[in-house]
Amino acid sequence: MKNVLISGASIGGPALAYWLRRYGFGVTVVEVAPGPRAGGQAIDVRGPALEVAERMGVLDRIREHRVEMRGMSMVDGDGNELYRSEEYTVTGGDLDSPDVEILRDDLSRILTEAAGDGVEYLYGDSIAGLEQDGDGVRVIFHSGLIRTFDLVVGADGAHSATRRLVFGPEKDYLTHLGTYLAVWTAPNFLGLDRWQVFHQVPGSSWGGGVMSVRGNEEVRVYLGFESERPIEYDHRDTAAQKKIMADALAGGGWVLPELVETMWDAPDFHFDSMAQIRMDSWSKGRVVLLGDAGYCGSPLSGQGTSMAMVGAYVLAGELKAAGGDHRAAFANYEKELRGYVAANQELALTNKARVEAQRNAEMGAETEVVDFQDFGEIVGSFTVRDY
């Protein structure tokens, strides 16, 4: 039995653990957080990811925990409603779609439970070093633990430490898309009932909003700002990130000051740039990347979760089909997914262009005609095969 180490326990990691265990692999998951991460934005399970979830036997549970929205409003700086919709929302799209919008921590928990007790979890630890040879990968952990695995999978996000150790510095692969976004949990002080409210800062394509969750007991806050140049900051320094957000949004209208105030004590605050990871290869030797670590599409694509779940299914399936031969499996994994990933990454750029065109039109500027992609066509462009 081949033993696989997966770095990252959010979405792609637990999904891959499920399929690898099902195919007879030994699985260990290392996660830098001290336990399952709370919080996170509402994410979407779409298209082929719904098929993957059904094959895992978790689709009904995912639907049971879906975010229930009645609609959304867009307001101006004084809180006056500009328009509303009961047909779609900013975060989830069309309400009558088969897609499922679910909180990240709920989906992560469902996938982790599905993977079962046969998976070993190393919480509060991370990979400090990797040494490959013809027989395996010697992994040195920050805790001092040293173990050898047949394969290592980096499912540790856009700022993947696994990628940095094996492929080189992040700057060689990350493309900044001009926006920063923060997400956290706050009290539902607006009294929203299965509703979301967003405000666009005048002259900008960004601003922020809130959506009620957990039976309207709380809200998820989304605030963002534009910055054409990447900002230098420590990805582990939450206090510094909160200050960046507060400075960027100072003097904002609507209830932005009140929302910023809830940020200071938020235990689940997350801040990052809208960015993509683009690589010529997702594997090197016995190490392979999954999801955002190898091909982050950014939240602008709306497809990060689905790409991670589909990627996990394909990677495990190709390892099974190749009898554990990682060279053949990794090559086929890339061959199978490259077109799907490329289309979804391009979709993020299209979505960005659409928002900018809308902003320019509202400001009376001349706008270039953009041939926008069909979102549904891209989402459904991948066919889930049997392994």
Side-chain angles (χ1 to χ4, degrees), residues 54-233:
E54 186 169 27
R55 295 187 183 197
M56 294 177 70
V58 298
L59 183 54
D60 287 344
R61 284 200 65 202
I62 290 174
R63 284 174 171 155
E64 288 170 6
H65 288 81
R66 74 189 307 158
V67 173
E68 295 185 7
M69 287 284 109
R70 295 185 298 110
M72 62 147 295
S73 300
M74 186 68 73
V75 299
D76 65 16
D78 296 320
N80 301 311
E81 188 174 276
L82 301 175
Y83 66 85
R84 66 167 40 212
S85 173
E86 295 184 4
E87 297 180 354
Y88 68 91
T89 63
V90 169
T91 64
D94 293 340
L95 294 178
D96 62 356
S97 165
D99 304 341
V100 180
E101 186 178 25
I102 182 172
L103 294 177
R104 188 212 60 82
D105 45 1
D106 284 345
L107 179 58
S108 180
R109 184 184 67 255
I110 291 170
L111 296 177
T112 299
E113 290 173 355
D117 296 334
V119 178
E120 176 189 20
Y121 287 90
L122 303 176
Y123 285 109
D125 208 348
S126 58
I127 299 174
L130 297 164
E131 300 172 358
Q132 299 192 57
D133 59 28
D135 297 321
V137 186
R138 184 171 179 265
V139 180
I140 302 95
F141 296 87
H142 277 102
S143 64
L145 179 68
I146 299 176
R147 288 173 57 179
T148 298
F149 298 87
D150 294 295
L151 305 171
V152 173
V153 181
D156 42 355
H159 302 296
S160 169
T162 309
R163 185 187 63 237
R164 175 177 52 80
L165 289 168
V166 177
F167 297 86
E170 179 177 292
K171 64 181 178 61
D172 293 345
Y173 308 106
L174 186 142
T175 300
H176 175 59
L177 299 183
T179 303
Y180 283 84
L181 175 70
V183 182
W184 67 90
T185 299
N188 185 8
F189 67 89
L190 292 174
L192 301 179
D193 176 18
R194 294 167 293 157
W195 199 262
Q196 55 185 245
V197 182
F198 277 79
H199 166 63
Q200 184 172 315
V201 175
S204 169
S205 60
W206 288 94
V210 296
M211 61 184 293
S212 61
V213 297
R214 308 282 192 222
N216 299 322
E217 294 181 2
E218 60 188 41
V219 296
R220 286 291 198 269
V221 180
Y222 300 79
L223 291 184
F225 63 90
E226 294 177 321
S227 176
E228 286 303 316
R229 292 182 178 275
I231 300 172
E232 293 291 334
Y233 67 95

Side-chain angles (χ1 to χ4, degrees), residues 316-327:
E318 293 296 346
L319 282 166
K320 173 195 175 188
D325 179 350
H326 64 279
R327 290 173 293 270

Side-chain angles (χ1 to χ4, degrees), residues 48 282 289-291 295 306-315 318 330-344 382-383 387:
W282 303 331
L289 302 175
L290 169 66
Y295 38 90
S306 294
M307 285 197 289
M309 291 180 65
V310 172
Y313 174 82
V314 172
L315 177 56
E318 293 296 346
F330 293 170
N332 290 331
Y333 161 63
E334 293 203 32
K335 181 179 179 181
E336 187 77 6
L337 278 180
R338 275 286 176 184
Y340 178 64
V341 165
N344 281 291
F382 185 85
T383 301
Y387 285 101

